[in-house]
C-alpha cells in the first residue's frame, strides 16, 4: 500500500516519506530519496542512515500527514546527513546522460559533483535502478575531488559495476593515472602507482554480473582489495606521488 499510488500510498516522488527508529516516532532518521515511483509499476531507491546495523533491526517508514517534500539536503534529516563526513563523494549515476558542468550530483554534501562525456544510460539492472554505461574513452565523468596525500593519506574507493566483456573494461574509478579500480582481463584489479605499479587481483569474474568493488589504500603503507565484501589480498605500496589530478569515473 505504500507504493501503489492509492489513498495510503507515499506520494509519487517520495516527498512525504519519513523514517524512524520506532513506531513512536521519537527518533527520526536522515533520508535520501534517489527515486520513488508509485502506481502500477512502482520502483524506489531510498538510502537511510541508521544508528547501527543489527540483524533483526526494524526501520519504520511512514507517509507524513503534513509534509509534501523531503527536508532540505542540508537539513538534519536531509540527504547530506545520510552520508557522514568520511564520505567525500557519493554518485548514484542515475541522471540522464549529459555533459552539463557538474551535471552528475555528489550526494555526500562535499560538493564534488561530476561533469560527464559521451556515456549512455543503461536500463535498470540488478535491482539497483538505472546507471551509466562506459564503453571506453572518452566515456567518463570528471569529478571535482582531488585526493592530495596530505589531506587524504588513506582512501577507500567503492563501486558497483559489471563488465560487458572480459577485456578492455579497464578504469572503473581512479585518480588520474595513479590509482584505479578496474576489470583487467578476467579479474578485478585495484592498484596504485607509487614508486611502481602496485596491485592485487581477484579470481575470474563473469560478464554481466554485478560486483561490489572496493579498495583501501594508505599512502606509504598498503593497498587492500575487496570483491563482494571478501578480501582479495593486500600488497605493500610505496609513497604515492602527490597529485593535482581529479578523480575520474570511467575514461580508460
Amino acid at each position: 500500500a505504500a507504493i501503489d499510488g492509492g489513498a495510503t500510498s507515499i506520494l509519487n516522488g517520495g516527498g512525504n516519506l519519513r523514517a524512524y527508529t520506532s513506531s513512536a516516532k521519537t527518533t527520526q532518521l536522515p533520508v535520501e530519496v534517489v527515486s520513488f515511483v508509485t502506481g502500477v509499476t512502482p520502483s524506489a531507491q531510498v538510502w537511510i542512515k541508521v544508528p547501527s546495523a543489527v540483524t533483526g533491526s526494524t526501520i519504520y517508514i511512514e507517509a507524513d500527514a503534513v509534509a509534501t517534500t523531503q527536508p532540505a539536503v542540508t537539513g538534519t534529516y536531509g540527504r547530506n546527513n545520510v552520508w557522514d563526513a568520511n564520505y567525500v563523494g557519493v554518485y548514484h549515476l542515475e541522471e540522464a546522460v549529459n555533459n552539463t558542468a557538474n551535471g552528475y550530483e555528489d550526494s555526500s554534501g562535499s560538493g564534488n559533483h561530476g561533469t560527464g562525456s559521451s556515456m549512455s544510460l543503461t536500463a535498470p539492472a540488478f535491482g539497483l535502478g538505472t546507471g551509466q554505461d562506459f564503453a571506453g574513452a572518452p566515456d567518463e565523468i570528471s569529478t571535482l575531488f582531488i585526493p592530495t596525500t596530505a589531506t587524504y593519506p588513506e582512501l577507500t574507493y567503492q563501486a558497483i559495476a559489471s563488465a560487458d566483456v572480459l577485456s578492455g573494461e579497464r578504469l572503473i574509478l581512479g585518480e588520474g593515472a595513479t590509482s584505479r579500480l578496474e576489470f583487467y582481463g578476467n579479474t578485478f584489479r585495484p592498484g596504485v602507482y607509487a614508486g611502481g605499479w602496485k596491485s592485487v587481483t581477484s579470481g575470474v569474474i563473469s560478464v554481466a554480473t554485478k560486483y561490489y568493488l572496493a579498495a583501501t589504500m594508505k599512502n606509504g603503507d598498503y593497498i587492500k582489495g575487496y570483491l563482494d565484501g571478501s578480501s582479495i589480498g593486500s600488497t605493500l605500496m610505496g609513497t604515492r606521488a602527490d597529485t593535482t589530478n581529479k578523480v575520474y569515473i570511467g575514461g580508460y
Side-chain angles (χ1 to χ4, degrees), residues 88 145 147-148 152-157 175 215-218 240:
V88 293
F145 176 47
T148 59
Y152 304 101
E154 188 169 17
L155 282 170
T156 295
Y157 291 119
E175 167 208 336
T216 295
M217 51 193 70
K218 185 173 183 180
R240 177 167 58 90

Side-chain angles (χ1 to χ4, degrees), residues 10-241:
I10 293 169
L11 294 175
N12 191 48
N16 63 339
L17 186 153
R18 298 293 185 270
Y20 302 90
T21 58
S22 72
S23 58
K25 299 191 290 187
T26 53
T27 303
Q28 189 172 340
L29 299 171
V31 171
E32 178 185 10
V33 177
V34 179
S35 60
F36 202 93
V37 179
T38 64
V40 178
T41 55
S43 66
Q45 183 183 162
V46 178
W47 296 81
I48 298 172
K49 183 178 182 180
V50 297
S52 61
V54 181
T55 300
S57 295
T58 301
I59 298 172
Y60 293 80
I61 296 174
E62 74 154 16
D64 189 272
V66 177
T68 57
T69 60
Q70 281 294 306
V73 295
T74 56
T76 301
Y77 306 112
R79 180 198 72 187
N80 293 2
N81 279 312
V82 174
W83 312 98
D84 68 28
N86 288 317
Y87 287 89
V88 293
V90 174
Y91 308 95
H92 299 298
L93 303 185
E94 296 204 6
E95 293 90 345
V97 173
N98 69 88
N99 59 2
T100 303
N102 302 329
Y104 289 89
E105 192 162 15
D106 165 22
S107 290
S108 74
S110 300
N112 290 315
H113 308 301
T115 301
S117 174
S118 302
M119 292 83 62
S120 58
L121 198 66
T122 66
F126 309 124
L128 294 173
T130 53
Q132 303 293 318
D133 185 7
F134 301 91
D139 291 12
E140 66 185 17
I141 295 173
S142 170
T143 77
L144 294 175
F145 176 47
I146 300 175
T148 59
T149 56
T151 307
Y152 304 101
E154 188 169 17
L155 282 170
T156 295
Y157 291 119
Q158 304 172 78
I160 296 174
S162 65
D164 294 325
V165 293
L166 290 182
S167 61
E169 298 283 333
R170 297 291 297 277
L171 189 60
I172 300 300
L173 201 73
E175 167 208 336
T178 64
S179 60
R180 304 176 187 167
L181 272 68
E182 60 188 359
F183 293 119
Y184 186 75
N186 62 353
T187 64
F188 163 58
R189 181 175 77 167
V192 64
Y193 194 88
W197 179 247
K198 311 289 185 180
S199 65
V200 290
T201 60
S202 73
V204 175
I205 61 170
S206 302
V207 169
T209 300
K210 175 190 70 176
Y211 293 103
Y212 166 51
L213 316 171
T216 295
M217 51 193 70
K218 185 173 183 180
N219 191 40
D221 194 347
Y222 59 77
I223 178 170
K224 300 177 181 179
Y226 301 88
L227 180 67
D228 287 339
S230 297
S231 172
I232 61 171
S234 64
T235 187
L236 294 175
M237 59 176 275
T239 301
R240 177 167 58 90

